[in-house]
Amino acid sequence: MRCLPPGKMEGFFMCVAKSKDKITVPIIVGKRTQKEPIKVLTAYDFRMSALLDSCGIDILLVGDSLGNVVYGFDSTLPVTMDMMIAHSAAVARGRERALVVSDLPFMSYQVSEEDAVMNAGRLVKEGGAEAVKLEGGVAMAGRIRRIVEADIPVMGHIGLRPQAVNMMGGYKVQGRSEQEEAILLEDASAAQEAGAFAIVIEGVPSATAARITEALSIPTIGIGAGPDCNGQVLVIDDLLGLSEFTPKFVRKFADLSKEIVSAVSNYGKAVDAGSFPSAEESFGADSQK
Ligand code: KIV
């Protein structure tokens, strides 16, 4: 890894990563300077973590979207710290190179700065996370500052904030009017000012996300925010075609639901027909095979 002198970001070295280098927070920050797109995907378990890591994904986000994807809740609100810690630890065990960022779930940081620091610390100590993500800008700047003061890197999250679904009246695109864009810009700037190393921008018109990206010096990671963010993130189940519902901003890069249904149907047919297991798939009485 080649480290350049500190740039605009106080306290961070701007680094240029070789492809095999362990991804760190300074490397992610440096990718913006180097104009290298940042590739982020959610991961919730050991096996998927290892697979995504082997494909060169930079950040594995243990998103609280696991509430929907893994647990079948209709929002992220019921997700607990215990769930986040268990899934973070599995993802951390599965990867070698990628940076593991874990979401602080609803009500683990909203009540007080002390809660925010303590729960961020649990994600690092018990969950193996290398950074945490929380939703909010101006209102959460104090929380971000305190967590960063505890030497835990923070990723912000503005725009469509799933934990604020009840305040937003649904999962709606944010920042469409000039006034809404100005609020988002204030939120993004407050998160950056408080020490966030990167910011997720979710569900925002492309032009708005582009202007916010332009105004910041830290990387932006878009989801439903157009092509001009410094990186992109998708929920892995959406990308693989495992989700029931496909939002407009998702591209299905595979149709694994179809593959799974076909494989499992064939298994059922083979068991019904008595063709599974075959002799080769069974143990003999007199051999070690
Ligand atoms: O929880 C999550 O998966 C997220 C991403 C969609 C950004 O926050």
Side-chain angles (χ1 to χ4, degrees):
M1 183 174 70
R2 184 161 58 91
C3 284
L4 307 174
K8 229 175 165 184
M9 288 277 304
E10 253 184 36
F12 281 125
F13 283 96
M14 299 297 167
C15 299
V16 183
K18 288 194 221 128
S19 64
K20 286 286 179 200
D21 278 341
K22 171 76 186 83
I23 298 289
T24 61
V25 164
I27 286 173
I28 294 297
V29 174
K31 280 179 183 280
R32 175 179 165 126
T33 318
Q34 301 301 319
K35 299 196 185 328
E36 258 187 65
I38 301 164
K39 300 179 283 288
V40 186
L41 285 173
T42 67
Y44 313 112
D45 63 43
F46 174 83
R47 188 71 196 123
M48 191 60 77
S49 166
L51 284 171
L52 304 187
D53 191 62
S54 74
C55 299
I57 296 303
D58 298 309
I59 298 179
L60 297 180
L61 173 65
V62 189
D64 61 354
S65 52
L66 63 77
N68 309 93
V69 175
V70 179
Y71 289 91
F73 298 133
D74 61 5
S75 76
T76 58
L77 304 185
V79 173
T80 64
M81 276 299 297
D82 286 346
M83 289 175 188
M84 291 308 304
I85 288 169
H87 288 276
S88 296
V91 169
R93 285 192 290 272
R95 69 83 176 79
E96 287 177 7
R97 173 182 174 271
L99 186 79
V100 175
V101 179
S102 299
D103 262 339
L104 279 161
F106 183 56
M107 281 299 125
S108 69
Y109 60 97
Q110 284 88 348
V111 175
S112 69
E113 291 182 359
E114 286 69 26
D115 274 5
V117 178
M118 198 186 63
N119 285 318
R122 287 193 68 198
L123 287 176
V124 173
K125 280 172 82 91
E126 299 171 52
E130 294 161 300
V132 300
K133 176 164 81 59
L134 59 79
E135 296 181 9
V138 172
M140 290 298 136
R143 311 287 195 273
I144 296 173
R145 187 167 288 110
R146 284 287 302 276
I147 298 171
V148 171
E149 279 169 6
D151 291 331
I152 299 171
V154 176
M155 179 181 276
H157 184 152
I158 62 157
L160 193 167
R161 294 182 293 111
Q163 292 178 14
V165 60
N166 291 322
M167 290 296 279
M168 294 183 306
Y171 299 101
K172 295 179 178 163
V173 172
Q174 305 290 302
R176 279 205 157 121
S177 67
E178 260 181 47
Q179 198 186 4
E180 276 182 17
E181 179 175 322
I183 292 170
L184 288 185
L185 196 50
E186 270 181 46
D187 279 335
S189 304
Q192 172 174 284
E193 202 56 34
F197 74 94
I199 297 189
V200 166
I201 304 179
E202 178 167 357
V204 165
S206 307
T208 305
R211 284 190 285 271
I212 294 171
T213 298
E214 182 66 29
L216 298 181
S217 56
I218 57 174
T220 58
I221 312 289
I223 176 161
D228 295 318
C229 294
N230 304 116
Q232 295 293 329
V233 56
L234 279 179
V235 167
I236 185 62
D237 291 58
D238 291 346
L239 174 159
L240 295 175
L242 284 169
S243 307
E244 253 177 328
F245 166 69
T246 309
K248 174 182 164 67
F249 58 84
V250 168
R251 186 183 300 175
K252 275 199 210 179
F253 287 84
D255 192 352
L256 289 199
S257 292
K258 214 165 132 192
E259 295 288 319
I260 289 172
V261 167
S262 159
V264 174
S265 305
N266 287 338
Y267 163 76
K269 283 180 200 156
V271 172
D272 282 342
S275 64
F276 176 82
S278 64
E280 293 74 41
E281 289 155 341
S282 306
F283 296 110
D286 57 355
S287 88
Q288 293 299 307
K289 288 185 183 169

